[in-house]
Amino acid sequence: MKALWSWLLELCDLPTTPTVEEGARALTGGGLEIEGLTDLGAGFSGVVVAQVVAKRPHPESTKLTLVDVITAKDGPATQVVCGAPNVPEPGRKVLWARPGATLPGGITLATKPVKGIESPGMLCAEDELGLGDDHAGIVVLDADDPTALGAPAQRALGVDDWLLDVNVPANRGDCLGHEGLARELAALLGGRLVQHDVSADLAELASELRTADLVELAIADAAACPRYVGRIVDGVAVGPSPRRFAQRLRAVGVRPISNLVDVTNYVLFELGQPLHAFDWHRLAAPPRIGVRRAAAGERLTTLDGNDRALEPGDLVITDGSGPIALAGVMGGQATEVTAATSRILLESASFEARSIRRTARRLGLLSEASQRFERGVDPALADRAAARAAVLLARLGGGRVATGLVDHDRRPPARPPVPLRLARAQVLTGTALTTASCEDALARLGCVATADGDGRWLVTPPSARADLLREVDLIEDVLRVVGYGEVPATLPPLTAAPRPLTTTIADRARRALAAAGLTEAITFGFQAPARLEALGLPADDRRAQPIAVRNPMSIDQAIMRTSLVPNLLAAIARNRSFGLPDVALFEVGSVFLRAAGQPPTGEPSALADEPTHAAIVLHGSRPRRFGAAEPWDAFDAKGFALTLARALGAGDPAVAAAADVPYLHPGVGAAITVGGVVVGHLGEVHPDVRARFGIDGPVYLAELDLGRFAEPGPVQMRPVPRFPASSRDVSLLLPEAVPAAEVEAVIAGAAEALVERVALAEEYRDADKLGPGKKSQLWSITYRAPDRTLTDPEIERAHEGIVARLTAHLPAARR
Amino acid sequence: MDTTPTDALISQLDRLAGEFAAAIAPLDDEQAMRATQAQFLGKKGQVSAVMKELGKLPPADRPRVGEAANRVKDAIAAAVDARLAALAEARRAADLARTVDLTLPARPVATGHLHLLTQVRLELVDIFAELGFAVAEGPQIETDWHTFEALAIPKDHPARDMQDTFYVADEIVLRTHTSPVQIRTMQAHPPPIRIVAPGVVYRRDDDATHSPMFSQIEGLVVDRGIRFSDLKGVLTHFANRFFGGSGGLDVRFRPSYFPFVEPGVEVDFTCAFCRGKGCRLCKGTGWIEIGGAGMVDPDVFAAVGIDSEVYTGFAFGMGIERMAMLRHNVSDIKLYYEGDLRFLRQF
Ligand SMILES: [Zn+2]
């Protein structure tokens, strides 16, 4: 909300007049944050009010006029050359930018010859001062303008003022007008609100017409329209608004249109009550004003010229013949004020916030009026606003106000007073509030507080404060007036809270992977559908059935990720584009899968499963000193995966040969198992998949589902060996197709208690020596007993048993 | 004068010592030297051959020859030792003559990096853990009820504008704040409650200071007698631990509106960079806005079945990106989410 400092001061009576900075500080401290403070007159300087005392044509040009001006009564006249067509007759006041004056755009005036005649500065038009867009001629002040000669032009133009940009909280619709802000300012600075009393004006401007004879209200739906006040102003003439009146509107962001329209906007900004002016003669005769829901198929051409299809939820104003306006959103073109208007029906009403909000949003018509109705307009304002506007219309339009008003008043009954307990306020705030400080604060807020026993009150807030419904609301407001600076800093007493679970499995995974030398990425939870499609998952894979965002900001954020892999592949591509060829990243985060039983497409009806995954990608070379690249390979991915699994407490992570993962290379992929359960996959990313991300080099991958890991208990010590171990080797000639894991499994199958460790020591292939399709492996087996030093015969017996088993169970020959 | 056979034998033995020294002089490994030594001293060696002549000498002369033989054996052992010592010294000298240019690049020790947001989040959790807070979590795809309704933000409430929401279905949203974790925690546990809930949230907002996904940390304390001043105390502790260094930072509350707290406040910390004097970072105000907070609204307690006459509580929420930006001078919120190693490796 934009507010003018002069307007606020006009509406409150303060003990001392604050500076605008003091006012802004008070409002900000009270919760109405002043986000901007603009000196409206800062755009120019050295421009003064001057009076024309004589004028004559320029001898060299018919378009130029020589104007004599004075800046003090009976002072010396100065001749200025003026090119405007509207130089007024002597006696009127104009704005003279004297030599040395500065104008917007960094212009500094000097004395310069114009067609041979020296001109000290110039007479200014509005747009030259950065105000409005009127360049039809120079500014000529109204005949009765009271500004003194020689005074700064800012004063005459109404820009010797400050504009406050107020951030009004969503629950403070009452502060969307100067009156509401003035009420706050008065409360915070210890003053009181001043309301315009227009009864004397109404009496003075009364016409013989009676409102009730000219308009009838027939409003059935009290919920949709709890209050509707109508007034008639007759005999008005359309014209421009007075300069300073128009300037106020311009300052708060409304373009002045004509006196009749400007008045409704002026009162809206003054009181916060939106108003609408109908041309009475263009309404059905006699008008019978109703408010109802639109019927299906009804249409209305609104003020902006758009013919709009109405929907049954929309609230419309009717005049007996059909819809004439979209209530609270926009008037109809057929009944709008025109240059020919002479009699006006003023509407000052309140409408159901929800309907206005829905209609305004559907039609994209967020007006000053709809924004206020959406936040709720105090129905008690309607008659005051109608009266204030009627008086202004009559004054500015030269008309008279019909006697009386029509008033559909179906406001809900006044709310009961709100109980307030001092003790409760003290406990909740932890602040030293007293009976006196509470009562003072309530009074300043305009609340009526009746004592209800010791330290208890029954409080009736002002009708404008629809947000003060409960004791806690009052406590907040009392504290606001007392000042939040009075709240001390204390600590809550320590009570037994739940187990301090400060390290989640996700964080353990992150720490393990960072400790292993990888760099953590965090990517968006949503992604582009194309990135998921690039993985080539079959349609019945849960990961191929993402949950879509209904209203994404771009296609790149249209679905929730079902895998961490696509975003990490995209990160590789991005780093490559930055000239970084070596990328080793990991991410630990949630993926989003449709809950069990949900259909594979369409909007879900249940929340998602959100397992936490960890994924690692390796591309390019591992860190090296210099020289040739040392490319990552799949065994690096395996190393990181096993390191992670062990860090998460898995005692026996294993890698099972070959995995059916569509985005892995068909020959370079494996499942990671813990206790026989698959917890993830690793391998080389399928060349087709990485190509879809624009990566032309191998990418190695590991991904684990952290939900498959049990919370590990404390590690239990195993006895440290006290007797020596002995190793024996066995060299095997094997077909290429036998995986190493199978050899290990056969050795493990021997269940030989003395075996401590089995390790592959060497592997080599040599078709000439070994024959094609064969490989030679040297396995080293370590034997140890916990309670004695093993003897050679014991070791030999165990070792030969294992070797015999290997040659029996595998197509293996001992070499 | 003619030499006696005894004298001849002794001088023959003495010559052998000289011959041995000459034989090992060109040798530079111990094994060869020991072989030569065995050759001289072994059963078939030169010394033994000479000693076979001993029986031919008069018995009275034999001790003299024995002495000479021992002298030769000692000389040979000493020659080996001296030669080995010389060789060891030469090796040591050669080793010490080595030079390595240690200004060449180091062999890289892979150094991992936790994401800056992870580092900051872990630190925040640690600070609150000092005050007895536990960590709670909740889903990112959330019900409208947990995200809004239970937090006193019904449909059509103007506050929904403050948080433009991504929808997944009519009643399912991407959570716009971590506050639904408050609701889930209060539903699951009776008071006392003392939790922080860090997590990712989503809003339809995208510019230099807003990202459609960002992270918050939410705090909630519910117990008998929890005061607004306790909120200030907890946040003051936090401010000084996270930003303070030497302490002395104040917390300022400004009234604000969040439907689920009453009173509701915006929280400012004394600017840690200028200590309140005013600088570029605090735009000259001396204060840094850090988040929203307030006392849990009675309507929220009602939604989760906690008696607000018995229990009171406070809640606060802060943006983790913003805190990291302030303390680490991060210029653009987008940098956090692009996976750019040039950024990630700095922290
Ligand atoms: Zn500062």
Side-chain angles (χ1 to χ4, degrees), chain B residues 271-284 286-288:
Chain B
C271 176
F273 310 94
C274 62
R275 297 266 147 193
K277 290 188 194 73
C279 69
R280 179 186 60 83
L281 219 71
C282 57
K283 301 194 183 88
W287 295 96
I288 298 268

Side-chain angles (χ1 to χ4, degrees), chain A residues 178-555:
Chain A
H178 282 78
E179 182 174 281
L181 289 172
R183 181 185 289 110
E184 279 293 305
L185 193 62
L188 295 165
L189 294 176
R192 60 178 198 86
L193 180 67
V194 175
Q195 295 185 335
H196 289 287
D197 181 356
V198 294
S199 49
D201 302 78
L202 280 175
E204 180 198 329
L205 294 164
S207 83
E208 285 135 30
L209 296 170
R210 283 169 34 86
T211 305
D213 295 338
L214 298 171
V215 61
E216 187 189 344
L217 298 183
I219 297 164
D221 192 342
C225 176
R227 186 94 194 263
Y228 196 110
V229 169
R231 274 192 180 271
I232 301 279
V233 184
D234 186 49
V236 291
V238 173
S241 293
R243 185 176 301 280
R244 270 185 282 188
F245 189 90
Q247 172 54 32
R248 278 194 166 174
L249 291 180
R250 207 178 283 126
V252 297
V254 175
R255 204 164 68 88
I257 295 168
S258 71
N259 52 1
L260 306 188
V261 176
D262 293 351
V263 163
T264 60
N265 284 326
Y266 190 91
V267 174
L268 177 149
F269 274 93
E270 185 168 84
L271 301 179
Q273 169 71 58
L275 299 165
H276 187 65
F278 294 105
D279 183 335
W280 185 87
H281 290 108
R282 301 175 75 189
L283 297 171
R288 191 180 145 79
I289 299 295
V291 179
R292 63 164 168 82
R293 307 278 167 189
E298 277 188 309
R299 304 189 74 83
L300 176 71
T301 302
T302 43
L303 291 176
D304 55 8
N306 285 320
D307 177 31
R308 298 177 186 276
L310 305 181
E311 287 190 0
D314 298 333
L315 275 184
V316 292
I317 312 291
T318 59
D319 65 350
S321 69
I324 54 170
L326 268 171
V329 177
M330 192 176 262
Q333 196 174 49
T335 53
E336 76 173 314
V337 169
T338 68
T341 300
S342 64
R343 183 180 289 173
I344 278 178
L345 168 63
L346 256 179
E347 166 193 292
S348 180
S350 48
F351 302 108
E352 186 193 59
R354 191 170 301 194
S355 303
I356 303 296
R357 179 184 168 86
R358 212 171 289 144
T359 301
R361 254 139 240 266
R362 178 170 62 79
L363 299 175
L365 289 173
L366 298 181
S367 61
E368 295 286 352
S370 72
Q371 282 168 30
R372 283 166 178 78
F373 282 123
E374 278 183 27
R375 303 232 206 153
V377 171
D378 176 14
L381 266 179
D383 49 340
R384 281 208 296 128
R388 170 82 169 141
V391 166
L392 287 171
L393 278 174
R395 295 241 184 261
L396 267 53
R400 300 193 78 76
V401 182
T403 308
L405 67 161
V406 286
D407 188 356
H408 157 85
D409 187 356
R410 299 282 297 280
R411 277 179 275 175
R415 295 189 302 266
V418 183
L420 173 64
R421 296 163 293 175
L422 176 63
R424 176 75 177 174
Q426 288 167 334
V427 166
L428 194 72
T429 61
T431 306
L433 298 174
T434 63
T435 301
S437 63
C438 286
E439 288 181 346
D440 174 58
L442 290 168
R444 281 159 71 168
L445 290 162
C447 294
V448 179
T450 318
D452 181 36
D454 201 21
R456 304 166 74 96
W457 298 274
L458 289 172
V459 179
T460 306
S463 71
R465 294 297 307 277
D467 60 315
L468 299 182
L469 296 170
R470 307 164 302 171
E471 184 178 40
V472 67
D473 302 325
L474 294 174
I475 293 172
E476 177 186 51
D477 254 35
V478 165
L479 195 61
R480 239 167 24 90
V481 171
V482 168
Y484 280 18
E486 299 301 310
V487 179
T490 58
L491 285 175
L494 196 59
T495 49
R499 182 173 66 104
L501 169 77
T502 52
T503 308
T504 60
I505 189 169
D507 283 334
R508 279 190 285 129
R510 290 184 181 101
R511 286 185 158 124
L513 291 171
L518 296 171
T519 298
E520 184 188 11
I522 299 179
T523 68
F524 280 160
F526 28 49
Q527 63 185 200
R531 281 195 188 166
L532 175 61
E533 284 155 21
L535 294 188
L537 296 164
D540 63 351
D541 190 308
R542 276 177 93 191
R543 292 168 296 177
Q545 303 164 358
I547 293 168
V549 178
R550 186 189 276 182
N551 54 338
M553 295 187 76
S554 80
I555 187 71

Side-chain angles (χ1 to χ4, degrees), chain A residues 43-57:
Chain A
F44 57 90
S45 68
V47 184
V48 296
V49 175
Q51 189 171 34
V52 176
V53 290
K55 64 171 183 176
R56 57 199 160 277

Side-chain angles (χ1 to χ4, degrees), chain A residues 413-756:
Chain A
R415 295 189 302 266
V418 183
L420 173 64
R421 296 163 293 175
L422 176 63
R424 176 75 177 174
Q426 288 167 334
V427 166
L428 194 72
T429 61
T431 306
L433 298 174
T434 63
T435 301
S437 63
C438 286
E439 288 181 346
D440 174 58
L442 290 168
R444 281 159 71 168
L445 290 162
C447 294
V448 179
T450 318
D452 181 36
D454 201 21
R456 304 166 74 96
W457 298 274
L458 289 172
V459 179
T460 306
S463 71
R465 294 297 307 277
D467 60 315
L468 299 182
L469 296 170
R470 307 164 302 171
E471 184 178 40
V472 67
D473 302 325
L474 294 174
I475 293 172
E476 177 186 51
D477 254 35
V478 165
L479 195 61
R480 239 167 24 90
V481 171
V482 168
Y484 280 18
E486 299 301 310
V487 179
T490 58
L491 285 175
L494 196 59
T495 49
R499 182 173 66 104
L501 169 77
T502 52
T503 308
T504 60
I505 189 169
D507 283 334
R508 279 190 285 129
R510 290 184 181 101
R511 286 185 158 124
L513 291 171
L518 296 171
T519 298
E520 184 188 11
I522 299 179
T523 68
F524 280 160
F526 28 49
Q527 63 185 200
R531 281 195 188 166
L532 175 61
E533 284 155 21
L535 294 188
L537 296 164
D540 63 351
D541 190 308
R542 276 177 93 191
R543 292 168 296 177
Q545 303 164 358
I547 293 168
V549 178
R550 186 189 276 182
N551 54 338
M553 295 187 76
S554 80
I555 187 71
D556 293 338
Q557 301 166 1
I559 57 167
M560 299 307 290
R561 66 186 182 191
T562 58
S563 163
L564 300 178
V565 172
N567 283 353
L568 288 176
L569 292 179
I572 291 177
R574 185 190 293 270
N575 278 294
R576 282 165 50 96
S577 76
F578 297 145
L580 301 173
D582 305 323
V583 185
L585 286 173
F586 77 89
E587 179 165 15
V588 175
S590 298
V591 300
F592 306 91
L593 301 171
R594 286 172 185 268
Q598 290 286 304
T601 58
E603 294 191 343
S605 58
L607 296 186
D609 289 343
E610 300 187 11
T612 303
H613 283 192
I616 297 154
V617 290
L618 307 170
H619 172 73
S621 172
R622 65 173 69 92
R624 63 191 187 278
R625 289 182 64 208
F626 50 81
E630 297 167 22
W632 294 110
D633 63 33
F635 295 100
D636 292 301
K638 179 174 177 179
F640 287 121
L642 297 182
T643 295
L644 173 58
R646 288 192 193 102
L648 299 180
D652 62 339
V655 168
D660 182 21
V661 179
Y663 48 89
L664 292 182
H665 187 293
V668 192
I672 307 160
T673 63
V674 171
V677 176
V678 174
V679 297
H681 297 96
L682 66 89
E684 180 180 338
V685 172
H686 196 294
D688 296 349
V689 172
R690 64 169 161 76
R692 289 178 200 127
F693 287 85
I695 304 168
D696 66 353
V699 176
Y700 302 95
L701 167 82
E703 54 176 339
L704 285 88
D705 179 350
L706 303 191
R708 308 262 169 119
F709 289 83
E711 177 83 5
V715 174
Q716 301 298 306
M717 190 201 83
R718 292 185 308 274
V720 176
R722 293 176 53 225
F723 294 93
S726 295
S727 300
R728 293 290 186 277
D729 293 347
V730 55
S731 183
L732 297 172
L733 181 64
L734 290 157
E736 190 64 70
V738 176
E742 211 172 311
V743 178
E744 285 185 72
V746 170
I747 297 172
E752 171 55 64
L754 298 180
V755 172
E756 182 182 74

